[in-house]
DNA sequence: GTCCGCATCCCAGTTACATCA
DNA sequence: TTTGATGTAACTGGGATGCGG
């Protein structure tokens, strides 16, 4: 009897769990794992590829086909991988059920496998079928496992990038908020200044000092609230203010 | 040229397991 | 020893695309 046939027999006898669909798929999942069966000694971790996916409902036919296709895809690799996941560490599952066949094992890739996968990922974040098959052979894994690893890796990369972008936007938002507050304060100061000293707006340029750093005009009569530093924009000051607004990382707090 | 079914790939979301504090 | 958090392998379902009939 071929391993697949054994697996099929086992899989069909593994009618466990509550609702059919997912549970049956769980049986299918065990196909991937190096799964010690309760029929065997615990120490003998010879895995039988349980093709119980064939017991899947009609809605899973496509997936089953896919699985079968992928297994056929690289049979040589499969056989090696199925029986020699020894290169990876497959930790015994906490099979708390009596049968012990239906709990999904989780493959832990070895450091070498992970390193090589990472290297390949750095080169290309996607693989064509030939690359996938070759890499799978090299790693002693199934092509499907390599494919899944790349999918998950892409997802992790994307997630990380999203986090970075989020952090950037957060800082950008904080900067803009602060800038907005500052502009509001300046506006209030200018209004107060205009109200108290209308002549200040007609001061000769020589009477005002320009900060060389931020090019703001200082020297206007200080208000009690701020101690001065009222910004009177020069010609084009509106543009500069706008630049402040739209350049959140400009060092506007220098002065 | 268009439609249909199928195969394949990828992604987002989820599940389940292993590990660690 | 137990337990909750975390990382990740593996899965599901669906959309997109290509191809042959």
């Amino acid at each position: 009897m071929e391993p697949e046939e054994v697996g099929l027999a086992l899989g069909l006898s593994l009618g466990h769990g509550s609702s059919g669909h997912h549970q049956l798929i769980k049986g299918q999942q065990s196909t991937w794992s190096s799964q010690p069966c309760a029929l065997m000694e615990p120490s003998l971790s010879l895995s039988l590829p349980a093709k119980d996916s064939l017991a899947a409902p009609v809605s899973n036919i496509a997936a089953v086909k896919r699985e079968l296709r992928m297994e056929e895809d690289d049979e040589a690799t499969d056989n090696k991988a199925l029986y020699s996941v020894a290169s990876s560490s497959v930790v015994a599952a906490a099979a708390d059920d009596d049968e012990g066949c239906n709990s999904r094992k989780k493959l832990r890739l070895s450091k070498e496998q992970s390193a090589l996968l990472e290297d390949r990922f750095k080169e290309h974040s996607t693989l064509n079928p030939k690359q996938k098959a070759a890499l799978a052979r090299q790693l002693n894994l199934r092509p499907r496992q390599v494919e899944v690893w790349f999918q998950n890796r892409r997802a992790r990369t994307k997630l990380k990038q999203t986090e970075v972008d989020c952090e950037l936007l957060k800082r950008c938002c904080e900067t803009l908020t602060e800038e907005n507050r500052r502009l509001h304060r300046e506006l209030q100061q200018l209004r107060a200044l205009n109200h108290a000293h209308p002549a200040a707006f007609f001061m000769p340029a020589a009477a005002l000092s320009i900060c060389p750093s931020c090019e703001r005009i200082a020297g206007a009569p200080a208000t009690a609230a701020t101690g001065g530093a009222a910004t009177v924009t020069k010609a084009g000051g509106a543009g500069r203010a706008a630049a402040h607004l739209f350049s959140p990382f400009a060092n506007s707090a220098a002065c």
Side-chain angles (χ1 to χ4, degrees):
Chain A
M1 186 183 262
E2 290 294 314
E4 284 81 1
E5 296 176 66
V6 176
L8 174 57
L10 289 174
L12 289 172
S13 69
L14 291 180
H16 63 282
S18 47
S19 55
H21 182 104
H22 190 60
Q23 293 300 327
L24 285 169
I25 288 301
K26 275 178 73 177
Q28 174 191 344
Q29 289 170 349
S30 68
T31 309
W32 292 124
S33 312
S34 175
Q35 178 164 334
C37 179
L39 296 174
M40 295 177 279
E41 289 293 323
S43 57
L44 294 175
S45 59
L46 172 64
S47 23
L48 295 179
K51 271 294 173 45
D52 48 353
S53 55
L54 294 178
V58 177
S59 60
N60 290 320
I61 292 289
V64 172
K65 280 181 180 174
R66 199 184 316 158
E67 297 303 313
L68 292 175
R69 165 178 47 82
M70 288 181 175
E71 287 176 6
E72 287 165 4
D73 195 32
D74 193 337
E75 208 169 348
T77 307
D78 287 356
N79 291 336
K80 270 195 286 179
L82 279 171
Y83 293 98
S84 66
V85 195
S87 59
S88 316
S89 58
V90 177
V91 185
D96 51 358
D97 54 335
D98 290 333
E99 289 168 310
C101 279
N102 53 359
S103 58
R104 162 161 106 179
K105 294 289 185 304
K106 188 159 183 173
L107 167 78
R108 299 296 297 186
L109 296 172
S110 68
K111 279 185 180 177
E112 293 76 18
Q113 286 172 321
S114 296
L116 187 52
L117 284 164
E118 283 289 346
D119 283 349
R120 290 292 185 280
F121 185 81
K122 278 174 193 164
E123 292 168 14
H124 299 105
S125 63
T126 54
L127 292 175
N128 62 38
K130 278 188 177 177
Q131 290 173 321
K132 193 197 328 180
L135 189 53
R137 265 192 299 275
Q138 197 175 350
L139 292 168
N140 213 17
L141 293 172
R142 290 162 172 268
R144 170 68 178 162
Q145 286 177 297
V146 173
E147 181 180 310
V148 164
W149 188 91
F150 268 74
Q151 278 177 10
N152 286 325
R153 185 66 179 77
R154 282 193 293 271
R156 282 196 291 273
T157 301
K158 188 174 181 181
L159 183 64
K160 221 162 208 173
Q161 186 56 50
T162 301
E163 286 172 1
V164 168
D165 290 347
C166 187
E167 190 58 34
L168 198 66
L169 282 172
K170 212 169 115 189
R171 271 190 286 152
C172 183
C173 182
E174 285 168 3
T175 308
L176 283 171
T177 303
E178 181 52 38
E179 184 70 7
N180 191 30
R181 276 198 211 103
R182 189 188 63 74
L183 287 171
H184 268 106
R185 279 198 302 270
E186 285 187 11
L187 184 61
Q188 283 178 348
Q189 289 164 13
L190 285 173
R191 281 180 177 152
L193 185 63
N194 189 29
H195 185 71
H197 306 281
F201 287 85
F202 302 101
M203 253 188 230
L208 301 171
S209 61
I210 299 175
C211 170
S213 164
C214 69
E215 294 184 357
R216 287 179 196 155
I217 297 175
T223 62
T226 66
T231 299
V232 179
T233 53
K234 303 180 289 186
R240 236 194 67 76
H244 266 285
L245 272 178
F246 295 109
S247 300
F249 299 111
N251 189 12
S252 59
C255 293

